[in-house]
């Protein structure tokens, strides 16, 4: 399952009429001449009948908590993303058509928006912009003579309404629910891709200061989302705006007001004011908007924390696979072979790097003939359980049908000959302090090919037993 689907808008037809445009959005955001709105082509574009060649329309998959309860998969059921536009001012805006027909996330509904709610979204979004409240925008609204049936008060008295489309804009349409869903479903790689995409496209500064480390960037991203959301809330409160349905699928990750549904601007001052008739418990009333945000943000953090746990579990599995690979194996059922060897190595104080490397270069079926240069393995071999391990190891290799040549080449690609031991660095440092940087440069060169035996390195005994004096080397935090 992916987080978005390529879709095609279903063009709206039948007596299309332009209800209104935001000249400001057309000019300042889309770099258009406002007269464009008078052309038939523009109306067709908003109707979903003109997909520019550079567009790949998408419907986004998201989930959300609705009135405190996990609603599972929702998604753009009637909104289609046309693409992004980077304007003259260097701002990135995403264009959506809301009401442009069915998508894979329509869940049995018709994919259409009606004139009533589209006008509300158009006027409110633009009004909020001029009030100085961070918001999505509506560039244009068209309507038609296509009938759709709605039951606006959910009272079993449906009415016929006119299908309409808004061309709406936001710096990003990602919502809290965009991240909640893949996390809930344990889709780690989707979550990673999504997080990375959102942070890189909308918060490049965070990405740069985290030096591309996703976990680090995610923490600052989480804080940023909270900061922007609470800032948005201050604006809402100061102008008396009550969103009406602060479910986590309706809360932007960029702190802009989205989803103009059953919102209302308070008339008489009433902290319990709630515009949404479905909200019988006043969960989203004026006074509670901050608690609603707390809940949605906590859900994001909870989900992200859950995501970290999933990543952690995956890392543990990856580590097992990495160790199996160090022995030329790949099937998890053979992990006890790894464990057995590690135990032997620990008890015999075997050199971690050299033992694995020796094992990758010696023919294990003629291990008795191993030369002295395989000192690490020979030392490990003295352990009383080594023969038992070797037998188990050979059985595992046989079961995985790994022949000796393949085993050796696989192992040699993952078991280094050389790592930077402290004594090596210390010798180079001592020389450097005398003004001779040769050794530093040499080590740097050798360590560029850690998986290859190198004559120079062997001469310097970089693959040999660590000199005793290394044990006395003290390395502190300031090192
Ligand atoms: N007529 C419809 N056809 C298909 N899906 C719909 C329709 N109405 C609502 N949905 C979907 O139901 C969910 C909840 O609807 P809601 O009214 O909160 O969102 P919306 O106003 O459609 O979208 P947005 O949040 O993007 O403004 C969303 O996933 C929405 O896409």
């Amino acid at each position: 399952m992916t987080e978005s689907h390529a879709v095609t808008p279903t063009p709206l037809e039948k007596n299309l009429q332009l209800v209104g445009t935001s000249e400001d959005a057309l000019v300042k955001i889309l770099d258009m001449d406002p007269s464009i709105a008078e052309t038939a082509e523009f109306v067709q574009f908003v109707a979903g009948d003109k997909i520019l060649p550079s567009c790949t329309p998408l419907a986004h998959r998201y989930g959300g908590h609705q009135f405190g309860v996990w609603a599972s998969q929702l998604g753009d059921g009637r909104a289609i993303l046309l693409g992004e536009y980077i304007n003259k001012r260097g701002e990135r805006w995403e264009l959506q058509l809301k009401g442009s027909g069915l998508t894979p996330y329509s869940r049995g509904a018709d994919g259409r928006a009606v004139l009533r709610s589209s006008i509300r979204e158009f006027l409110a979004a633009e009004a909020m912009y001029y009030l100085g409240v961070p918001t999505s925008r509506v560039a244009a609204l068209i309507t038609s003579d296509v009938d759709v049936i709605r039951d606006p008060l959910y009272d079993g008295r449906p009415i016929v309404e006119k299908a309409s489309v808004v061309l709406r804009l936001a710096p990003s349409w990602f919502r809290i629910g965009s991240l909640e869903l893949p996390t809930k479903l344990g889709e780690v790689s989707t979550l990673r891709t999504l997080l990375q995409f959102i942070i890189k496209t909308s918060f490049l500064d965070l990405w740069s200061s985290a030096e591309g480390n996703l976990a680090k960037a995610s923490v600052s991203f989480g804080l940023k989302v909270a900061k922007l959301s609470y800032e948005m809330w201050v604006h809402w409160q100061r102008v008396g705006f009550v969103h009406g349905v602060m479910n986590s699928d309706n809360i932007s990750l960029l702190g802009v007001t989205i989803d103009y549904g059953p919102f209302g601007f308070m008339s008489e001052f009433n902290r319990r004011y709630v515009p949404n008739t479905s909200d019988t418990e006043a969960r989203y009333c004026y006074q509670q908007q901050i608690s609603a945000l707390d809940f949605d943000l906590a859900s994001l953090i909870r989900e992200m924390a859950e995501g970290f746990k999933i990543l952690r579990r995956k890392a543990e599995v990856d580590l097992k696979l990495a160790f199996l690979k160090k022995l030329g194996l790949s099937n998890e059922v053979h992990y006890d072979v790894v464990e057995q060897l590690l135990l032997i190595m620990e008890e015999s104080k075997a050199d971690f790097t050299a033992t694995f490397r020796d094992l990758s270069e010696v023919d294990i079926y003629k291990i008795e003939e191993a030369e002295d240069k395989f000192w690490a393995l020979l030392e490990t071999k003295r352990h009383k359980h080594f023969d038992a391990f070797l037998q188990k190891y050979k059985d595992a290799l046989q079961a995985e049908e790994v022949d000796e040549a393949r085993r050796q080449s696989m192992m040699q690609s993952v078991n280094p000959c050389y790592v930077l031991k402290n004594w090596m660095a210390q010798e180079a440092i001592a020389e450097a302090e005398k003004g001779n940087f040769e050794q530093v440069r040499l080590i740097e060169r050798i360590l560029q090919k850690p998986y290859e035996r190198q004559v120079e390195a062997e001469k310097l005994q970089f693959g040999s037993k660590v000199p005793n004096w290394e044990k006395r080397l003290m390395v502190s935090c300031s090192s």
Side-chain angles (χ1 to χ4, degrees), residues 162-223:
K162 298 295 173 205
S164 309
V165 180
V166 291
L167 167 61
R168 57 183 199 174
L169 317 168
S172 159
W173 286 102
F174 284 119
R175 305 125 195 272
I176 287 183
S178 305
L179 295 176
E180 280 178 306
L181 187 66
T183 321
K184 276 261 185 237
L185 299 179
E187 295 173 359
V188 179
S189 78
T190 302
L191 179 67
R192 288 181 70 99
T193 311
L194 213 50
L195 260 175
Q196 187 161 326
F197 178 83
I198 296 170
I199 299 174
K200 272 172 122 171
T201 45
S202 299
F203 302 105
L204 191 58
D205 52 331
L206 299 185
W207 185 253
S208 311
S209 35
E211 291 164 350
N213 178 321
L214 185 58
K216 230 178 180 180
S218 302
V219 174
S220 25
F221 165 72
L223 288 172

Side-chain angles (χ1 to χ4, degrees), residues 62 75 77-78 98 107 109-112 150 168 175 259:
Y62 54 80
R78 53 175 170 170
K98 179 169 172 183
R107 298 176 295 141
D110 59 9
R112 291 298 182 193
R150 291 289 183 273
R168 57 183 199 174
R175 305 125 195 272
D259 198 298

